[in-house]
Amino acid sequence: MAEISHPPMEQLQDLEYCIDSNPPWPETVLLAFQNYIVMLGTSTFIPALLVPAMGGSDGDKARVMQTLLFVAGIKTILQSLFGTRLPAVVGGSFAFVIPIAYIIHDSSLQRISNDHERFIHTMRAIQGALIVASSIQIILGYSQVWGLFSRFFSPLGMAPVVGLVGLGMFQRGFPQLGNCIEIGLPMLLLVIGLTQYLKHVRPFKDVPIFERFPILICVTFVWIYAIILTASGAYRGKPSLTQHSCRTDRANLISTAPWFKFPYPLQWGPPTFSVGHSFAMMSAVLVSMVESTGAYMAASRLAIATPPPAYVLSRGIGWQGIGVLLDGLFGTGTGSTVLVENVGLLGLTRVGSRRVVQVSAGFMIFFSTLGKFGAVFASIPVPIYAALHCVLFGLVAAVGLSFLQFTNMNSMRNLMITGLALFLGISIPQFFVQYWDARHYGLVHTNAGWFNSFLNTVFMSPATVGLIIAVFMDNTLEVERSKKDRGMPWWVKFRTFRGDNRNEEFYTLPFNLNRFFPPT
C-alpha cells in the first residue's frame, strides 16, 4: 500500500498567525474592523426580529442594537483575557429567541395596550429571566462541573458537535441570500473568488490583501452596488420581503439612532422576575453552553492552539455566564454565545491572533456609543451577511469534521455514531422548526408554556441534539474495546491543564493571576 501522504496533524499548518502571534498594528486594526463588520449581522438581525414584536419603535430597536454591541465588546474582552483566552467574539445568540418569544406572548404583557409601555415591561421581564438563568452557566462553569462533563468528550464525539455548530446554521445561509439574489450571489462569488482564486495575487508586496481583508473589500463593493440599486428605484413596487431584504434604507436605523448614547445597567428600569420565564430561559443558556463549547473547539484549532482543557473550558463557561448576567443588567434583549461566523473568519483570513479580537471589541464599544456611525454599518443588507455565512459556517463545519482524522473511520461503530449524530442533528431540529410558531409554542404544546419553550429550545438546536446522540453513544457502545478507535490516546493529554506543555503558553491567565487561581 502506498505511503499515507497526509498523516493526522495536531495543528493546522497553513495559518499565518497563531493565538499568541500578532500582525503589524495597521493590519491588526483592519482585521479587527473586519471582525466588527462580520459580527454586525447577528447583532442587528436579532433586535430587528424581536423589538417590533415587543412593541418597540425604530428608536427602541436602535437603542437595543447599541446596547447589544456595547455589551458584546465587554464580554469579548473578558472572555479573551480571563475566560478561555481564545480569539472568540461573544455576542447575541439565536438560541434565546424561543424563550424570549414565550415571554413576549405572555398574556399579562399582551394585555398592555400602549406599545412603548409593553416594550418596556417585556424588556424588564426578559432581563429578569436572563439574570436568573445566568446562574446556570456561572455555577456549572466555576464549580468545574462542565469540565468534569467534558471528560466524556472524544474526537469522535466532538466532530459532529463542532460540525453541527456550522451546518446547523444553514437557514441563515442561502435561504436568506435567496431573498435578494442580485445582491447575495455576487457577494458569495466575490468572496470565494478573492479568498481562493486570487489569494496569491499581491498588489502590495508584503500583504496578501485579497486573502487578509476579503470581507472589507467585498462588503464595500457590493454594499455600494446595493445603494445604487436602491437609489435608482430598482425595488419600487416590489414585494415587501424583497424590499426589506434588498434596500439599504428600510431599517430606519440611521434616522432614529442618537448621535451619542452610552448604554448603562438598568437603563430600561428594574428587572421583573417570573419563575416560568426563568425556567424557559435556562434552556437557552444550556443550548448556548453546548454551542459555545463546539465553537471554542473550532477556534482553538483555527488559532493553532491545543483543544481547551477541562479547566479552561469550565472557566470560559463561567465567564460566559457573567456575560449573560451583563445582558440581563444592561437589557440587550437576548443572551450570549460565541459567534460562529467570527470563528470561521479566523480560518478565512488565516489569522488566529487574540489581539485582533480584543481590538475588535474596542470597535464594538466605540461604535455602539456613537449611534449614527454604528447605524451606517448596521444598514448593510442581510443577503450580504447571508453570503458570508455560507462561507464562514461551512468552514467551521469542516473544521469540526477534521477531528475525525484522529479516529478510525474504518470502524463501523464510528461510522454509525458520526452518521447518526450528523443526520439526526439536522433532521430533528428541522422537524421541530416546522411546527414552531411564536404564539403556539411549537411541537411540544402543553398547558405549561415554560415547559414547551424549554423542550422546543433544546431540540431545535442542532449542536445540542448532536451532542446528546454522539456523546451518549460514544460512551456506552463498546467503550473499552474502542479507545484507540475513538481517538482517546491523542485526546487524553488535553483533558488536564498540565497534560500538555503547550497549554500553559496558550491558556495561562494574564497579570500573573494563575498564582491566585491555580489550574487543575
Side-chain angles (χ1 to χ4, degrees):
M1 188 175 68
E3 185 181 349
I4 297 174
S5 57
H6 302 289
M9 303 191 73
E10 288 190 353
Q11 295 175 313
L12 297 174
Q13 299 300 303
D14 54 351
L15 299 175
E16 294 291 332
Y17 296 96
C18 70
I19 186 171
D20 283 329
S21 59
N22 302 308
W25 272 108
E27 280 188 54
T28 296
V29 172
L30 288 173
L31 287 163
F33 187 68
Q34 194 165 237
N35 266 278
Y36 166 73
I37 293 295
V38 168
M39 65 88 59
L40 274 179
T42 298
S43 301
T44 57
F45 191 79
I46 293 177
L49 179 69
L50 295 176
V51 171
M54 296 162 64
S57 63
D58 288 335
D60 295 324
K61 183 167 62 178
R63 280 189 65 191
V64 173
M65 288 179 184
Q66 284 180 266
T67 305
L68 183 57
L69 282 170
F70 182 82
V71 178
I74 295 174
K75 293 182 295 190
T76 299
I77 290 174
L78 291 175
Q79 188 65 243
S80 63
L81 280 177
F82 308 115
T84 59
R85 306 216 68 215
L86 288 166
V89 173
V90 183
S93 170
F94 278 90
F96 290 80
V97 168
I98 298 168
I100 289 172
Y102 159 63
I103 295 173
I104 290 172
H105 293 98
D106 189 295
S107 58
S108 63
L109 295 169
Q110 286 295 307
R111 282 196 291 266
I112 301 173
S113 57
N114 182 279
D115 282 347
H116 183 69
E117 189 178 342
R118 177 160 58 88
F119 166 75
I120 293 295
H121 280 80
T122 304
M123 179 61 81
R124 292 176 182 177
I126 293 170
Q127 288 181 258
L130 286 169
I131 289 170
V132 174
S134 67
S135 62
I136 296 292
Q137 285 187 344
I138 293 172
I139 292 170
L140 291 179
Y142 291 125
S143 67
Q144 293 295 309
V145 170
W146 188 248
L148 291 174
F149 177 70
S150 72
R151 292 174 186 268
F152 292 100
F153 298 166
S154 71
L156 184 69
M158 279 293 98
V161 175
V162 180
L164 288 166
V165 165
L167 292 177
M169 301 286 191
F170 69 93
Q171 290 287 5
R172 293 172 58 196
F174 211 89
Q176 288 186 347
L177 182 155
N179 290 332
C180 189
I181 199 78
E182 63 268 31
I183 291 176
L185 190 58
M187 180 68 186
L188 177 60
L189 295 176
L190 196 57
V191 171
I192 295 173
L194 258 61
T195 60
Q196 303 307 310
Y197 293 96
L198 298 179
K199 61 183 178 182
H200 297 302
V201 177
R202 300 195 177 194
F204 305 101
K205 264 188 180 179
D206 299 329
V207 184
I209 61 169
F210 294 146
E211 184 180 62
R212 197 76 83 237
F213 311 113
I215 308 302
L216 294 181
I217 297 169
C218 296
V219 167
T220 299
F221 280 103
V222 179
W223 190 16
I224 292 172
Y225 168 57
I227 291 171
I228 293 171
L229 288 178
T230 301
S232 65
Y235 303 113
R236 195 173 295 125
K238 297 290 185 180
S240 59
L241 178 61
T242 302
Q243 298 218 24
H244 180 77
S245 300
C246 300
R247 294 184 69 99
T248 57
D249 59 356
R250 291 287 292 178
N252 295 324
L253 291 176
I254 300 173
S255 60
T256 56
W259 281 104
F260 179 83
K261 185 74 177 179
F262 196 85
Y264 55 91
L266 308 183
Q267 59 186 338
W268 310 107
T272 57
F273 299 91
S274 163
V275 174
H277 294 170
S278 299
F279 272 112
M281 197 66 78
M282 286 178 185
S283 63
V285 167
L286 292 171
V287 166
S288 74
M289 191 160 57
V290 173
E291 292 175 349
S292 293
T293 297
Y296 288 137
M297 294 293 178
S300 66
R301 191 147 177 76
L302 290 171
I304 321 182
T306 55
Y311 168 79
V312 173
L313 199 56
S314 271
R315 191 174 71 193
I317 294 299
W319 276 104
Q320 192 167 310
I322 297 294
V324 176
L325 178 62
L326 291 174
D327 288 324
L329 291 173
F330 279 83
T332 62
T334 187
S336 302
T337 193
V338 175
L339 296 185
V340 180
E341 53 266 46
N342 288 84
V343 173
L345 188 61
L346 303 177
L348 190 69
T349 59
R350 303 174 192 266
V351 177
S353 170
R354 183 191 293 127
R355 178 184 288 174
V356 168
V357 169
Q358 291 171 338
V359 175
S360 76
F363 279 117
M364 297 172 211
I365 294 172
F366 177 75
F367 283 112
S368 67
T369 56
L370 298 177
K372 294 287 186 187
F373 292 98
V376 169
F377 298 114
S379 66
I380 299 172
V382 171
I384 290 180
Y385 285 110
L388 293 176
H389 293 162
C390 290
V391 176
L392 300 176
F393 292 155
L395 183 54
V396 171
V399 170
L401 297 180
S402 73
F403 281 102
L404 293 175
Q405 68 183 302
F406 305 108
T407 68
N408 177 15
M409 291 311 290
N410 292 311
S411 160
M412 282 305 302
R413 171 194 182 274
N414 290 1
L415 290 172
M416 174 60 75
I417 292 173
T418 304
L420 204 60
L422 282 172
F423 186 82
L424 291 181
I426 294 174
S427 186
I428 291 176
Q430 185 60 25
F431 177 65
F432 273 75
V433 167
Q434 289 176 355
Y435 286 90
W436 186 73
D437 177 87
R439 292 184 178 275
H440 297 101
Y441 313 127
L443 188 64
V444 182
H445 192 182
T446 67
N447 291 327
W450 64 269
F451 181 74
N452 303 333
S453 180
F454 194 101
L455 287 185
N456 286 322
T457 302
V458 170
F459 287 105
M460 283 170 67
S461 165
T464 306
V465 173
L467 181 134
I468 292 170
I469 295 168
V471 173
F472 176 78
M473 291 186 70
D474 190 34
N475 285 276
T476 57
L477 191 62
E478 301 176 357
V479 180
E480 288 303 317
R481 283 174 45 194
S482 305
K483 279 187 177 179
K484 286 186 177 180
D485 289 348
R486 299 166 64 205
M488 293 309 293
W490 173 74
W491 186 265
V492 71
K493 62 184 175 182
F494 303 119
R495 282 182 168 183
T496 61
F497 192 86
R498 295 185 175 86
D500 191 289
N501 292 333
R502 293 168 294 178
N503 291 337
E504 187 172 348
E505 174 191 350
F506 300 137
Y507 300 116
T508 298
L509 290 171
F511 315 123
N512 212 15
L513 288 175
N514 272 42
R515 290 185 306 167
F516 308 103
F517 305 100
T520 56

